[in-house]
Amino acid sequence: MLNKTYCSAVYGINACTITVEVIVSTGLHYYIVGLPDNAVKESLRRVESAITSCQLHMPRQKIVVNLAPADLRKEGSSYDLSIAIGILASSGQMTNELLADYLILGELSLDGSIKPIRGILPITLQALKEGFKGLILPQENAKEAAIVRGVDVIGVENLSQVVDFLNHRIKIEPTKVDIQNFFHTNTANYDVDFSDVQGQENIKRALEIAAAGGHNLILIGPPGSGKTMLAKRLPTILPPLNMTESLESTKIHSVSGNLKTKESLLTTRPFRSPHHTISDVAMVGGGSNPLPGEISLAHHGVLFLDELPEFKRSVLEVMRQPLESRQITISRAKLTVDYPASFMLVAAMNPCPCGYFNHPEKECICGSNTVQRYLSKISGPLLDRIDLHIEVTPVLFDQLSTTRKAEDSRTVRNRVIQTREIQKERFDSFPNVHCNAQMSTQLTREICQVDEAGRKLLKTAIERLSLSARAYDRILKVARTIADMERSKMIENHHLAEAIQYRNLDRETWGGKF
């Protein structure tokens, strides 16, 4: 007898419903078709052991399992539970009355227990879209799925529980999550704070500008000057995630398997800090079964690259396109997926191999050619895409030993939120623009108007620093953010002057244009 159950496959950050057709007939062999990978082919062995362990009967007949649509490759172990239920229904051991109402997903252990799977959030959203009554899935995934309103989320622990539920022997209450309360009680509480940083007021000012406008920045300075410490505190002054941003980020982390077991929704902005030995694929995403890379895992958050020149040149160059388009497209022979990648890039580096080039007190032991080779590891096109270049100087003893309390993150964050509100109102009619850093060239020219004196100042800066057209746009965007912080409708000369001074790496001090 033929029976159909339903499960789902994740491609990129979107899900596709898979129909599992099972027929039990005369014969002795097991067949599974529909472009299954090895993990799916092996599922029949797991299913057989799980059925037997739960005191149910595994048919000793010909079993054919078809995963439709047959032209999509099926990967992973999430089909186990759906296949098992299809076999039991086709062999007459349970009713098929509710099979069309639920997506059934989960990996089976040999003892019949059900293990969690990846990508539950996009699967649940697709189930809602296609009108399913609910999902039957591992208990550990239930809270993540319950974020989506409008579908029943039935969390189960073993195969016997699923059979009893579908046979109306037991009743399982759908899992519920109070999203608003969850969002409120899990609001960002960071272990670090801006008040930990003594001195460095000019650097903290630059970080506030970056946070207020969503700008990329690079910190350059000697070892021990506080570059990493400052960068790690940037998320503490960013505006909190709204519900839309939280769902988008959670989908990516769910698909990649990085969502913590007890974490059903991301409530703090991601902060990703990959090691400099990372590969191209790990950075942008990919693989035979494409998964999100670090730039997508940092979506709506911060990607921090410490010791920037130590990263492979190819790794840095693949980020150029995502920094502009804020998404990455990964193409394979039979599959193309898009991952969002709207992140703030924060980089840190020493000015030379020894770290003391241009240091006010310590002498650099590197030759001029060595310094130039070191700096040239970062290409000009990549630097053009970084809005603020900040020189970090060592902290003086008097600043370190002071007992005066520095400004905390909450105070700075409140100012950043107020500035972002101005931008939100400005870009209300532009659905894909939420902050100044996301403006297109055309929009930048339209919004970032300057007077005649401002144009002369920009012309002088471009000629002296040999700035590119892209760097010109970045200056205008940063100046617009500084003006917003001062509640100024127009970009004044001092706003432009401050924005221009944040192009340190374009200056002759650092070896000129890279």
Side-chain angles (χ1 to χ4, degrees):
M1 183 172 68
L2 173 66
N3 274 281
K4 295 181 181 180
T5 58
Y6 300 90
C7 58
S8 192
V10 177
Y11 299 98
I13 59 169
N14 298 309
C16 173
T17 298
I18 302 297
T19 303
V20 180
E21 300 175 332
V22 181
I23 188 167
V24 177
S25 59
T26 305
L28 291 175
H29 295 286
Y30 297 161
Y31 300 96
I32 184 164
V33 296
L35 285 182
D37 72 347
N38 287 335
V40 181
K41 291 176 183 177
E42 293 169 353
S43 65
L44 286 174
R45 300 303 176 191
R46 293 191 295 273
V47 167
E48 179 180 10
S49 180
I51 288 175
T52 304
S53 297
C54 293
Q55 309 304 314
L56 297 166
H57 173 64
M58 182 68 180
R60 302 303 174 187
Q61 295 173 272
K62 179 182 176 182
I63 300 175
V64 179
V65 179
N66 178 44
L67 305 177
D71 59 342
L72 286 179
R73 187 161 184 81
K74 320 301 185 306
E75 298 175 319
S77 56
S78 62
Y79 307 96
D80 291 3
L81 185 57
S82 197
I83 292 172
I85 295 300
I87 291 173
L88 292 173
S90 294
S91 59
Q93 298 179 66
M94 58 176 290
T95 176
N96 60 5
E97 179 184 342
L98 299 177
L99 296 187
D101 295 336
Y102 291 90
L103 284 184
I104 303 173
L105 311 107
E107 176 186 337
L108 284 172
S109 292
L110 299 184
D111 63 356
S113 59
I114 302 173
K115 295 182 177 180
I117 60 175
R118 298 187 302 189
I120 283 296
L121 185 55
I123 288 172
T124 309
L125 291 169
Q126 185 66 22
L128 176 65
K129 181 179 179 181
E130 297 192 11
F132 282 93
K133 180 181 178 181
L135 299 91
I136 299 173
L137 41 67
Q139 183 66 54
E140 293 181 47
N141 292 127
K143 286 188 176 180
E144 179 186 341
I147 291 171
V148 181
R149 303 280 181 84
V151 289
D152 292 341
V153 176
I154 308 299
V156 291
E157 296 180 352
N158 55 62
L159 178 59
S160 297
Q161 207 174 3
V162 180
V163 173
D164 289 342
F165 173 77
L166 293 174
N167 281 335
H168 304 287
R169 294 195 194 109
I170 62 172
K171 185 177 181 180
I172 303 176
E173 290 297 327
T175 302
K176 301 290 184 183
V177 173
D178 187 343
I179 301 176
Q180 296 302 327
N181 183 59
F182 178 86
F183 217 77
H184 177 71
T185 56
N186 290 274
T187 305
N189 290 313
Y190 295 96
D191 297 329
V192 296
D193 195 272
F194 246 40
S195 60
D196 301 334
V197 183
Q198 296 293 344
Q200 304 285 32
E201 299 304 326
N202 60 324
I203 315 301
K204 288 192 277 189
R205 162 75 174 175
L207 289 177
E208 183 178 344
I209 294 171
H215 302 289
N216 304 320
L217 77 153
I218 183 170
L219 303 169
I220 178 169
S225 57
K227 303 185 296 296
T228 302
M229 184 179 185
L230 286 159
K232 287 184 176 179
R233 282 154 180 76
L234 178 60
T236 68
I237 64 171
L238 289 173
L241 288 169
N242 59 40
M243 185 58 70
T244 301
E245 291 174 334
S246 180
L247 285 172
E248 288 179 2
S249 296
T250 304
K251 280 175 67 175
I252 298 169
H253 285 254
S254 175
V255 168
S256 66
N258 285 354
L259 203 62
K260 297 176 182 177
T261 303
K262 296 182 179 180
E263 189 177 49
S264 56
L265 189 68
L266 287 181
T267 56
T268 58
R269 293 189 180 273
F271 181 85
R272 307 294 298 183
S273 182
H275 192 261
H276 62 258
T277 56
I278 190 172
S279 67
D280 306 16
V281 171
M283 180 64 82
V284 300
S288 57
N289 177 27
L291 289 174
E294 289 292 332
I295 62 172
S296 295
L297 293 171
H299 184 57
H300 292 315
V302 175
L303 177 66
F304 176 48
L305 304 183
D306 203 1
E307 304 296 344
L308 187 66
E310 303 303 325
F311 284 79
K312 289 189 296 185
R313 183 69 174 253
S314 59
V315 172
L316 298 179
E317 295 307 301
V318 295
M319 291 196 303
R320 284 162 51 178
Q321 181 264 333
L323 282 170
E324 291 288 332
S325 64
R326 298 188 179 273
Q327 71 170 15
I328 182 72
T329 300
I330 299 171
S331 298
R332 295 294 178 264
K334 294 185 178 180
L335 181 68
T336 298
V337 295
D338 294 321
Y339 290 118
S342 182
F343 59 93
M344 282 181 62
L345 174 63
V346 179
M349 61 179 286
N350 295 329
C352 66
C354 79
Y356 296 109
F357 178 72
N358 208 37
H359 193 282
E361 297 175 359
K362 297 185 180 181
E363 185 177 353
C364 175
I365 61 173
C366 306
S368 58
N369 289 337
T370 304
V371 174
Q372 186 61 39
R373 280 197 303 271
Y374 183 77
L375 295 176
S376 65
K377 290 181 180 180
I378 307 163
S379 68
L382 178 61
L383 279 177
D384 271 351
R385 289 167 169 82
I386 299 178
D387 304 9
L388 293 92
H389 306 164
I390 315 299
E391 181 182 358
V392 183
T393 55
V395 184
L396 301 176
F397 174 78
D398 291 342
Q399 294 174 323
L400 284 174
S401 60
T402 183
T403 57
R404 184 175 63 88
K405 186 73 171 177
E407 195 173 40
D408 63 15
S409 293
R410 183 184 294 272
T411 304
V412 180
R413 184 168 63 243
N414 288 338
R415 292 200 298 265
V416 169
I417 291 172
Q418 291 171 8
T419 306
R420 286 285 186 108
E421 287 297 323
I422 295 173
Q423 297 167 45
K424 181 180 178 181
E425 184 177 345
R426 174 187 299 135
F427 302 125
D428 188 53
S429 57
F430 300 93
N432 296 321
V433 182
H434 307 288
C435 58
N436 289 334
Q438 297 175 354
M439 287 189 290
S440 64
T441 300
Q442 181 179 356
L443 194 57
T444 302
R445 298 287 193 275
E446 180 182 333
I447 290 176
C448 302
Q449 299 285 339
V450 296
D451 57 19
E452 185 62 32
R455 281 192 287 272
K456 289 181 179 178
L457 179 60
L458 282 170
K459 180 181 178 182
T460 301
I462 288 173
E463 290 176 349
R464 289 187 179 179
L465 300 177
S466 301
L467 298 178
S468 66
R470 184 180 285 112
Y472 171 76
D473 283 347
R474 303 282 170 176
I475 290 173
L476 287 176
K477 292 177 184 179
V478 173
R480 180 65 266 171
T481 299
I482 297 171
D484 289 341
M485 292 171 67
E486 296 182 3
R487 308 292 185 272
S488 173
K489 292 185 178 180
M490 291 295 297
I491 298 177
E492 307 290 347
N493 271 19
H494 67 279
H495 301 145
L496 285 170
E498 185 175 0
I500 291 168
Q501 77 162 349
Y502 293 132
R503 302 299 302 186
N504 277 348
L505 295 182
D506 296 319
R507 300 179 182 179
E508 293 182 1
T509 307
W510 301 109
K513 186 77 175 156
F514 283 25

